[in-house]
Amino acid sequence: MNEKLIMSKLKKPDLPKAFVTKEEIHKGLAFSKISLVCAPAGTGKSSAVSDWLNSQTSNYLWYSLDDWDNDFDMFLSYVIKGLETIDKNTAKKFQEFTKGYFSLSEKTLIKGIIALLHNVTVPWILVLDDYHNITETRIHNLMSVLLMHLPSNMSFCIISREDPPIHFGKLRAQQKLYELRMSSLKFNLKDTETFFNSTIKAPLNQEQINYFYQRSEGWVAGLQLIAMTLQEVDVIDDFIKTFDGNQDYIMDYLLEEVLYRHSDMSREFLLKTSIFSYFSYELCAFVLELPYETVVLEMEYLLRTNSFLISLNKEKEWYRYHHLFRMLLKQQLRGYKDLNLSHLCKRAGIWYEDQEAYQEAIFYYLEGEQFEEAQRLIEKRFTVMDMELNSASWLDLAKRLPLEYLKSSPVLCLGYGWALLDQGNIHDCQKWFQKSKELYDTVHLTEKSDSIKIHDPDTFENIPIMLLCSKAYIAAINGKYESLLSYTEELTKLARNSRYSRQWIIESFVGMMHWGQGNLIDALKIMINLKEDASNGLSKSVRHTFTWIIAEIYIQKGELTRAKLLLENAIETILENNDLPFLVATYYMLLALIESIRGHRDKAYNFLETSKVYGYRFEFMDWRYKYHLLKSRLYMQDGLYEQAEACIQEGKQYRFLNPAPEVLTLEDLSFWLLMLTDADESKKFFLVDEAIKKLEETSLDLPAYNEEMHWKIILNQAPVEIYGQRLLPICEKLLERGKLQQRDLDIIDYTLILRRFIQDSSQKKNLLNSAKIYSRREGILQPFIEFAEENNMLEDINVMPFEARRAQINKNLPEPLTGRELEILLLIAKGYSNQEISNHLFITHSTVKSYNNRLFSKLEVKRRTEAVAKAKRIGLLK
Amino acid sequence: MKYEIRIRGYIQSHWFEALEHIKEVDKTTILRGNLKDQAELYGVLRRIQELGIELISIIPIEEEV
């Protein structure tokens, strides 16, 4: 986008020629770190803040908001751009962080942004002007959280016509908020006098000043318009006489006066330029079809006489009218039919498009009802914005088009569906894809029809590929790997013959398809290739995501050492570069998984704790789900069935939307727990029967890869004397498939389970030995804990880890501590202050205190040191 | 739903074309008319605010049977 254009929105407006400084406002703004300037249009809000900033030494970021800043992405990129002049380093990190944000939850994104703002090293002031234009709730949420956790270096000022939907109540109560409202902004009689003395050449007498003050009620915009009119008036008292007889809305009356007194040329110029939110000489010359010199002369005249014209940058290139003045002009413009609003808007659109300021161009096309033009431009933007992973912003643009223009373009239909799919809306996207296909087919099968519009032929030709991609993606989400297989085959064929630019997506489908079939070797090859290939234009965060996928495949394969090295490296790189650690929680969780597979449950619990510390701040996708998954599995291994059950239930409230196959789900664990703890044999029979029946119905001789865990549980729990005959061949075949695909972890699992179905003791011993040989390579112990028949098979297994001991001690307390209380106890023991705990856990100071009190009463102590001592004594702490 | 919106001062009718303008002697204006829904009502209120006009009251009135 045009650099100057961006900067104009990030420039503080110059002060009007005649400005009356109010000392008490300066004091108020300087006194408080958070200010809310809230008053109707034309009361001098922006000018007051702008004047104050002139007297400040701190850096500031001034951001004038418009309707289109409701695009969250756009909003963030403006903030980043503005931050560059304050702290280049932080701005750069901010940029990298937001690039990958589509995969983060809103909460995480907001937390991440605020964590970044805490890194700004110099004192600075953020000013958001015209905040009333904002309707996007994500922006409101961001501001609310920011106010709660305002960095110490930062001051914050919101300027708005109406009270924004942000929670100020608490700040008000704590007297941390400075509120500047109409009553303080209004001019008093003395201000009015100062103002007239500095604007009008012929001085007014006291009576006249008094009169205008009464008439305008101290309203700044009214006074400015009066001053403007007076410049053209010869006898002031005559003007007062006619003014006095008129009781109409003061601005209407005065504007008509002003326009009436201007020359035709100037009047037309004023009216026409009112279509612009911002304008430059060049833009005016182009849209009004005037010679550049004429525009310069007109503007110079206006700058001398009109205090509603505001210059936006030092170079005096960009200007805007005061909002209220512009609205008045625009209303008048509608009355002048011969000035042709629609034509002006179209030219403005063309100019902006030429400047590559597409958002603005589309805005003007739509404003002038040039839907055809808007449709063309929005269609052409699709591929570009999709490549930049900006489909959500694109969707906001598309939604502004009337429906019939959307439905006449196959590419727009495709984009609409695609953007919905990107947001995870699997259902609603279908009908758009359907429509797109219909239109595509109509064009190809019949003569070219006038009612179907194609502005971007390249994307149009790619419609079949993109539609197939979307089908493959949906199949992957739904875990339908059979259909994914056929889609990917078709895709590979199609892609070879076309110039589809996002080959890497198709390749990752192929990878996932292999993965879903248990073919981890080929899946690995593809994923590693994708990660290493520098030419596919993947962003840093997407590359980090591949690290996670690759590590997960290694683990499923049983290559623990490789996975561990990869993860440790990744964590180190992220922390070293001070990147935002939103994947670190996932990495630590995988490290915990590795330790649990190796039977080091103490270490596993520790890694899980670390993962949680990051996870609560920067969670990635379904981290919460997976955290609970692993934790409940560990509880089960330790025989803590109650805790496991609670943990499973807690985890089930979180989402699990991973297009990559997961071998274990919380449903599996529930099922396992049921088999383990429910003594009712008939229920067991029923469940096993169900599973076998389902397998026979699908006419596959083996369960799908992602259902193997379910089957391990059945094979391990089904009564042998009844089901042995039927289950033995399944177990043998699963073992064989595992061997074929070199999945060591599964091989050990099945080898141990197989022993249940064998009577012969020497054969049993052989199987055990073979499992041990496989386990030795990577030190895999978990299968022996979970699936081996004999107890105490490996000596070091049965040592209960500290976490489990603590859970049991806690359970036996008269009043057990809750998870959160335990967490806070640990932080107290580490020496954290209440404030540090509050920052660490993102809860307020008073919440920490109330936790402390409950914690103390449960432990029957009075202070923190006592609590720690007692907890150590009874074994809650090491 | 029919509403009566009272504002301070007199105003030309082009700002609220859909509403009836009644100028009162106490230099207030009543804008009266049918507003389809809350959205339209808020639209009118927003405009009043944008113009910097003081809002005095909003009264919903029963339809005459």
Side-chain angles (χ1 to χ4, degrees), chain A residues 27 60 95 98 211 221 264 280 302 391 440 496 553 648 720 751 840:
Chain A
K27 272 186 207 146
Y60 59 83
Q95 174 115 40
T98 49
Y211 173 78
D264 288 354
S280 65
L302 279 178
S391 65
Y440 178 85
R496 213 173 288 136
I553 301 179
I648 290 171
V720 179
T751 312
H840 190 75

Side-chain angles (χ1 to χ4, degrees), chain A residues 1 63 129 168 178 201 219 271 292 299 302 395 447 449 485 494 509 552 556 639 736 780 795-797 814 849:
Chain A
M1 205 193 288
Y63 182 6
D129 194 4
F168 288 109
Y178 173 65
K201 278 169 244 145
W219 187 34
L271 290 169
Y292 190 81
M299 290 284 286
L302 279 178
L395 187 61
E447 289 293 300
S449 147
L485 173 67
L494 265 177
F509 282 142
E552 187 131 10
Q556 285 182 20
E736 210 147 297
I780 296 173
E795 283 155 12
D796 49 347
I797 291 172
K849 277 191 177 164

Side-chain angles (χ1 to χ4, degrees), chain A residues 39-41 132 161-162 217 219 247-253 256 324 327-328 331-332, chain B residues 8-17 23 27 46-54:
Chain A
H132 53 265
R161 271 185 218 160
E162 48 197 73
E217 295 172 343
W219 187 34
Q247 292 302 334
D248 266 344
Y249 176 49
I250 174 171
M251 297 301 272
D252 266 345
Y253 176 76
E256 273 178 30
L324 182 62
M327 189 173 67
L328 291 161
Q331 180 69 25
Q332 290 278 335
Chain B
R8 177 94 56 217
Y10 299 150
I11 186 155
Q12 291 181 9
S13 60
H14 61 229
W15 291 106
F16 303 97
E17 277 169 347
K23 294 184 180 178
K27 290 190 187 162
R46 188 175 272 265
R47 167 130 297 188
I48 290 175
Q49 198 230 25
E50 279 174 348
L51 289 167
I53 296 170
E54 188 183 335

Side-chain angles (χ1 to χ4, degrees), chain A residues 166-188:
Chain A
I166 298 175
H167 308 298
F168 288 109
K170 213 171 200 172
L171 292 166
R172 257 187 210 120
Q174 295 169 342
Q175 303 196 314
K176 281 185 180 165
L177 178 71
Y178 173 65
E179 285 179 83
L180 184 54
R181 288 180 175 272
M182 179 70 174
S183 55
S184 339
L185 284 164
K186 251 189 194 172
F187 278 15
N188 55 28

